[in-house]
Amino acid sequence: MGDRLNRGFPCPTTLADYHPVIVEGMGGADRREPGAVSEALLARLDRHWQDRPIHRPTIVVIQGDPLAPRGISAITRRVAEGLETSRALVCLDEAIADYHARDADRHNVSLEFRYSQMAGLLGDCRRNPRLLEELEAAIETRIEAKNAKRHRLGKPPLKSWVREFALLQEVTKAACRAICGDITIAHTSPASSEFSVTGFYEVGWALGSVKPEDHIAVD
C-alpha cells in the first residue's frame, strides 16, 4: 500500500519488535466482570509462556472495539495493564466502515494501522502470495455454510458486516504472525458461538496462517 492509502500510519513491520497478543471474545453483551476475566487470561498467558517462552516484549493488538463497561474492550485494557505493555490498534478503513476508526478505544494505544495495510502486507507475502485471496474465499464459504444452517434453524442470515469484521480479525492475525514469526491468540471463553465473528478463527487454522498452538482460552 502506498502513502496515499496509509495516510501517515506507521508500517505494520514495526510490529516485528514485539510479540503480539490478540484477545478475542464477546463485546458488550458479555455480562462477566472484566476484571475477573482478565485475571484468568493473565494467569493462562503466564502458563502458556512457561511452556512456549517468548523473547520479545509483548504488545496487545486490538481491533477497534469501542469502549464499553464489559466485554472485549474492557478486558483488553486490563490485559495490557497486567502485562505492563501498550496496545496496537487495527481498524477498518473509513471507505469500508466510516464509524469504525472514529469510535475505537485508543486508551494506551502506541501504534495504529488500517486493514488495507495488513491486507497489502499479506498480498506481498513471499511464503504464500495468495493467502489474502484464500482467506477471503474461505470466509465467504463459511458465511454461506453458516447462513444455510441459520435458514434451517429459522434464523435470518448473518449481518452483512460480519464479512468485513471476520476478515479484519483473520487478516490481522495472519499479518501479525507473518511479521513477527509468532503470536499469542487468547479467547475470553473456552468456546465461541459458531455465528459470532470470533467463530471464524478456524479459517486461519485451516489455511495455516496461524496455528492451533498459538491459541489459548480461559479455562
Side-chain angles (χ1 to χ4, degrees):
M1 295 289 110
D3 292 341
R4 181 178 61 83
L5 290 179
N6 292 344
R7 296 184 302 281
F9 295 112
C11 179
T13 56
T14 56
L15 289 169
D17 294 333
Y18 301 95
H19 177 89
V21 179
I22 298 182
V23 183
E24 297 177 344
M26 291 176 63
D30 189 343
R31 305 318 302 163
R32 297 173 298 170
E33 170 54 45
V37 178
S38 62
E39 286 181 10
L41 267 179
L42 288 164
R44 185 67 185 87
L45 286 167
D46 183 62
R47 296 199 303 275
H48 178 67
W49 290 331
Q50 287 180 22
D51 295 334
R52 300 184 68 195
I54 59 176
H55 305 288
R56 282 168 293 170
T58 57
I59 191 166
V60 176
V61 181
I62 59 175
Q63 296 170 59
D65 294 277
L67 181 61
R70 296 180 185 273
I72 193 70
S73 66
I75 291 167
T76 56
R77 276 194 177 205
R78 289 167 171 80
V79 170
E81 290 168 1
L83 294 175
E84 298 182 345
T85 191
S86 63
R87 305 194 296 172
L89 171 64
V90 185
C91 288
L92 290 170
D93 296 73
E94 285 77 356
I96 300 173
D98 59 1
Y99 61 88
H100 192 231
R102 180 196 68 200
D103 297 342
D105 176 24
R106 288 180 171 78
H107 174 74
N108 192 24
V109 167
S110 60
L111 294 169
E112 181 168 345
F113 310 102
R114 288 294 179 267
Y115 169 78
S116 60
Q117 294 178 271
M118 298 297 185
L121 187 142
L122 288 188
D124 294 335
C125 180
R126 294 181 181 178
R127 184 177 63 84
N128 182 3
R130 296 190 65 250
L131 180 55
L132 177 61
E133 298 173 33
E134 292 172 359
L135 284 169
E136 291 173 337
I139 286 171
E140 293 278 7
T141 298
R142 296 264 175 153
I143 288 174
E144 290 175 5
K146 290 174 189 288
N147 280 339
K149 183 171 183 178
R150 289 178 68 84
H151 179 74
R152 294 193 298 271
L153 296 172
K155 296 177 179 289
L158 295 170
K159 299 292 187 182
S160 60
W161 49 258
V162 167
R163 177 184 182 277
E164 282 70 30
F165 283 94
L167 274 170
L168 174 67
Q169 174 181 277
E170 296 310 311
V171 167
T172 296
K173 291 188 293 190
C176 284
R177 200 177 201 284
I179 293 164
C180 303
D182 55 11
I183 190 174
T184 299
I185 302 160
H187 285 185
T188 62
S189 300
S192 57
S193 166
E194 64 178 310
F195 299 126
S196 68
V197 171
T198 303
F200 285 82
Y201 70 92
E202 291 182 348
V203 167
W205 290 11
L207 295 178
S209 58
V210 293
K211 306 291 186 183
E213 55 266 29
D214 298 329
H215 285 72
I216 63 168
V218 170
D219 299 328

